[in-house]
Every structure is written in structure tokens, then in C-alpha cells.
Amino acid sequence: MTETQIAVATDDLWVAMRRHTQARIGLGRAGSALPTRHRLELQTAHAAARDAVHSPFEPEVVAAGLGAMPTVRVRSAAGDRLTYLQRPDLGRRLDATDRAHLPGGDWDVVFVVADGLSSRAVHEHAATMVRETVARLPGWSVAPVVLAEQARVALGDDIASAMGAAMVVVLVGERPGMSAADSLGAYLTYRPVPGVTTDADRNCLSNIRPPLGLTYEVAAGKLAGLMGRGRELGRTGVELKDEDDQIDVIDRPL
């Protein structure tokens, strides 16, 4: 084969491989840099990631998607976005005034929709995930959905404790990457204790963002399965495994 034929064959190989991954592979070079097209795509992805982090959370968007489900709005102790980004500890604590207004009850679970690091992910995916998951929890007492601003995952511990919920599910916008700025994560914790519970006590489902990530049906099925199993065991985290032979995945509402 000539050098030209080898180059063409190599390019065709990379094109075929790129169909199966979102990773940036085999982009080639223009001198010592990326080709212009790929450089512009990279800059666009970087801008989308920055926008996802800094775009304001709109609780009313999520509330509208939840339909008739009751909601409560809270803020963390981080008063603004800059403080939230610079002080992760404040994003894990409830605003004292908002804590006093949370309703109490004997709830099996409370769902917390938290902006996290991608409001876009929350706006696009959180409401459907809540609805799909609740549909798979017959007989569970579900607290009003808490819409939390400037919130990190551990804020759910404070919320569950204040409301008297046995379990908390935090749906949060994940840190944007260069191939995904709209990824939603779901963090499940049984009997959380603020300041004591650690990440080892949680289960996480990541990359919920159809059609390129987990679909709502699969993610909700896995989450509901984990919740049921966690309630039976009386714990979540490293001792609760997400394995097909242990957890039934329900693809449709019961």
C-alpha cells in the first residue's frame, strides 16, 4: 500500500471507532495542533460545560414537570454561586431559615432535586426521574419533593433529618465534562445523619441522560430496586450492591 492508501485506511478506521464512543479519539493533527474543526468542537464543548455550571437553577421548571406532586423550595448555606463553588462545605448545610419551614412527617423517602454543578441536567431530566421512580414504589410514603438551590449531595442528609424521612434520594446535576454537560446523578442514602454519614454510606447511579446515557426507565428501575433492597437490609452504601442477580430492574411502572 502507498502512504496515501495507508492514511486513508487509518482515517476510515478512526471514523468507524468514533461511532462507538463519545471520547475524542483519532482526531488527527494540523501541524502541531488539532484540525480546526475538532478544535472548534472542543471549544464549544468547553463553553457548554461552563454554561452548565454557571446557569441559574429554575425550580419552577422542575416543579412544572412534576405536575401535581407537592414541592418545597430550600437553599443551602451558600448564599450565591461563587460562594457555592468556593465553599463546598456550605453547599452541604441547609439555610437555617429554610430548615425551619420544612414539613415533618413519617416518610419512607424524600426526593431532593439539587442543582449541583449542572442546572441544565436537572431541568432536563430530574422531574421525569422522580415520576418514573415513584411509579415503581407502590405503598411507599413519599414526602414533598424538595427543590434545593446551591446544593451538594450531602445537603440531602440535613433535609431527611429535618423532615423525618427514613431514606433520601438526591437527584443532582453532575460535574460537566467535555463530552457531557447534562448528566444527572442519583444518590441514595438510608437513615442519613448530618455530619456523620459519608459517601461510603451512599449508592450512586450516574450518567442519567437519554439517549446517550442511562434511560429514565432503566435508571428508575435500578433506583427503585436499590431502594427496596436497602430498606430490607436497613442500610445503603458499600454493603448494598447494584448487581443484576441481586436487584430486580423493573422497566415499567407497576
Side-chain angles (χ1 to χ4, degrees):
M1 297 178 65
T2 66
E3 290 186 4
T4 299
Q5 290 173 322
I6 292 173
V8 170
T10 301
D11 288 343
D12 290 344
L13 175 62
W14 284 119
V15 170
M17 292 180 66
R18 282 198 292 271
R19 295 193 186 104
H20 302 285
T21 178
Q22 295 177 62
R24 289 179 169 82
I25 59 174
L27 301 183
R29 293 188 306 177
S32 60
L34 284 172
T36 301
R37 176 168 66 89
H38 294 305
R39 181 174 178 82
L40 291 175
E41 290 172 350
L42 191 66
Q43 290 175 335
T44 299
H46 185 244
R50 289 178 60 88
D51 285 347
V53 170
H54 293 286
S55 294
F57 180 41
E58 300 179 31
E60 61 275 8
V61 172
V62 180
L66 291 170
M69 297 183 71
T71 62
V72 182
R73 300 184 184 184
V74 299
R75 298 160 296 170
S76 75
D80 54 56
R81 197 61 174 172
L82 182 59
T83 302
Y84 170 81
L85 295 172
Q86 294 179 338
R87 292 285 306 274
D89 57 313
L90 296 181
R92 302 184 183 107
R93 301 205 309 263
L94 265 173
D95 174 85
T97 301
D98 289 351
R99 170 183 253 274
H101 290 96
L102 281 172
D106 187 19
W107 316 106
D108 291 325
V109 63
V110 57
F111 287 86
V112 178
V113 176
D115 52 1
L117 290 170
S118 175
S119 294
R120 174 184 167 186
V122 173
H123 294 157
E124 293 182 6
H125 308 305
T128 304
M129 266 301 296
V130 172
R131 296 198 315 269
E132 291 281 349
T133 306
V134 170
R136 291 163 169 77
L137 300 173
W140 287 58
S141 60
V142 180
V145 179
V146 178
L147 309 179
E149 188 174 358
Q150 313 296 6
R152 296 185 182 269
V153 172
L155 188 72
D157 301 346
D158 214 354
I159 291 170
S161 176
M163 296 181 69
M167 186 176 287
V168 60
V169 175
V170 179
L171 298 170
V172 61
E174 297 182 309
R175 185 186 306 275
M178 298 304 288
S179 60
D182 63 337
S183 180
L184 185 75
Y187 290 80
L188 170 65
T189 315
Y190 184 79
R191 299 288 182 192
V193 179
V196 175
T197 297
T198 69
D199 288 342
D201 301 310
R202 313 186 199 283
N203 291 88
C204 173
L205 293 176
S206 184
N207 198 35
I208 303 169
R209 55 183 198 101
L212 298 175
L214 283 178
T215 66
Y216 303 133
E217 293 79 8
V218 170
K222 285 181 174 288
L223 181 56
L226 282 168
M227 292 171 69
R229 180 73 170 161
R231 186 163 69 167
E232 291 175 5
L233 294 175
R235 57 185 177 272
T236 51
V238 295
E239 296 182 73
L240 176 61
K241 303 300 182 183
D242 178 14
E243 297 176 358
D244 290 341
D245 61 346
Q246 291 184 336
I247 299 171
D248 293 330
V249 177
I250 305 171
D251 288 334
R252 288 181 174 81
L254 297 175

